[in-house]
Amino acid sequence: MAAAPDRLKDTGRATPRRTVFGEAAEAYEDGRPGYAEELVAQVLEYAALGDRTALEVGAGTGKATGLFAARGVPVVCVEPDARMAEVLRRTTDAYPHVQVEVGDFEAWSPSRHRFGLLYAATSWHWVDPARRWDLAHSALGPGGTLALFWNPVAAIDPELFAALRDIDRRHGVEEPPHDALASRYGEEAGTVDGQVGPGWPVDEIRRDGRFTDLRTVRYRRNLRYDTARYLAFLASVSAYRVLPQHDLAQLLVETAELLDSRGGTIDMLGINDLVLARTV
């Protein structure tokens, strides 16, 4: 499938791009699309948590956290960036059953606690691929649920899509979040043009052998961003954050001019792709 924002091929240990989000934490909170309520409902129905606690890996500013916490789920959030965690604490301040811990998941220890649910919202690709399945399995109790999900977006208008790609190419952006037309997304989770994209974890989960009852679901919804929110969205994506500051500023100016010339909005297809499995 086309890359979700910041979703990269697994080429070994996480790249430095995982560290650029904190400097854009407010833009991340303002611009990033969230997740469908139906997805959260599906995860919780599958997990049947009862009074067990959930563990969130790479919680960011709480785009998914609040949805689970609002349903009464106790959540321990592990977030590697202190600046993102500061926003996360603010966005979840109304939920005393949310606990925020700052640190890399690879270095974090659940001690003797085992969780009923481990979920990662557009963050699992940043966890060390050599260790992540061991870490997930050790954090979950028997029959515990693993829920991994991403939220790619796709431009609906082919002419606008082409114009955005021209701007990206001029400034050397690779893997922009609008890297595929909406018409290329079918019904099968993890795919574009019917082909499984890089980083989709299903085969890894099957090879691991410690997870069972594997399920995948794709949710689709239409999104409309105004110019300001779309610029905040782009400013929070690592492919843009790694540009030299002058180049990023110029790209955002050109993007704003383009969107404003077309009514000041962009219509996109929002995708939520979900993988569910449980420990053997």
Side-chain angles (χ1 to χ4, degrees):
M1 64 183 294
D6 309 306
R7 182 171 172 180
L8 304 179
K9 295 179 182 178
D10 291 331
T11 55
R13 294 189 63 84
T15 75
R17 285 172 61 170
R18 72 181 287 185
T19 66
V20 302
F21 303 111
E23 63 195 32
E26 294 295 346
Y28 194 106
E29 175 59 21
D30 292 342
R32 286 297 183 103
Y35 300 91
E37 291 279 358
E38 297 92 335
L39 181 151
V40 177
Q42 176 72 33
V43 171
L44 294 179
E45 179 181 1
Y46 178 97
L49 272 177
D51 59 358
R52 292 178 296 171
T53 302
L55 172 65
E56 181 174 8
V57 176
T61 63
K63 288 291 184 178
T65 319
L67 295 174
F68 284 90
R71 291 171 176 262
V73 177
V75 183
V76 174
C77 303
V78 180
E79 168 51 44
D81 192 290
R83 297 162 296 183
M84 297 286 276
E86 182 178 354
V87 179
L88 172 63
R89 290 189 178 98
R90 187 185 76 225
T91 61
T92 59
D93 183 61
Y95 306 112
H97 49 287
V98 171
Q99 176 183 337
V100 179
E101 300 191 13
V102 178
D104 290 336
F105 182 51
E106 294 89 337
W108 179 81
S109 172
S111 187
R112 295 183 179 181
H113 190 84
R114 293 297 178 266
F115 295 86
L117 166 66
L118 182 155
Y119 70 92
T122 315
S123 62
W124 193 244
H125 51 287
W126 294 121
V127 182
D128 182 355
R131 299 183 57 205
R132 56 192 174 196
W133 307 112
D134 289 340
L135 292 168
H137 192 268
S138 66
L140 288 167
T145 293
L146 176 70
L148 310 176
F149 43 99
W150 285 265
N151 58 353
V153 297
I156 293 173
D157 185 323
E159 291 185 5
L160 182 55
F161 166 78
L164 288 169
R165 289 299 288 125
D166 285 344
I167 294 173
D168 290 330
R169 290 191 180 105
R170 283 201 300 274
H171 294 279
V173 175
E174 299 179 359
E175 297 180 345
H178 42 245
D179 200 30
L181 271 173
S183 58
R184 297 175 58 195
Y185 282 86
E187 298 300 323
E188 185 177 354
T191 66
V192 172
D193 295 329
Q195 301 296 314
V196 175
W200 187 239
V202 166
D203 286 345
E204 286 186 50
I205 294 171
R206 287 182 174 134
R207 287 195 301 268
D208 182 272
R210 291 174 291 181
F211 301 91
T212 188
D213 195 14
L214 183 63
R215 305 181 194 179
T216 63
V217 187
R218 168 165 284 177
Y219 302 89
R220 304 159 62 95
R221 55 184 175 155
N222 291 326
L223 304 173
R224 172 168 285 183
Y225 275 24
D226 62 21
T227 298
R229 189 180 179 203
Y230 197 67
L231 295 184
F233 171 49
L234 295 186
S236 76
V237 174
S238 67
Y240 296 86
R241 299 302 314 169
V242 298
L243 293 176
Q245 187 173 1
H246 176 270
D247 291 348
L248 174 59
Q250 184 59 35
L251 180 148
L252 295 177
V253 166
E254 293 176 21
T255 301
E257 291 174 348
L258 172 64
L259 295 185
D260 286 345
S261 73
R262 293 170 177 259
T265 60
I266 177 172
D267 290 316
M268 297 180 293
L269 174 67
I271 296 288
N272 287 175
D273 278 345
L274 168 67
V275 179
L276 289 167
R278 66 178 85 251
T279 54
V280 174

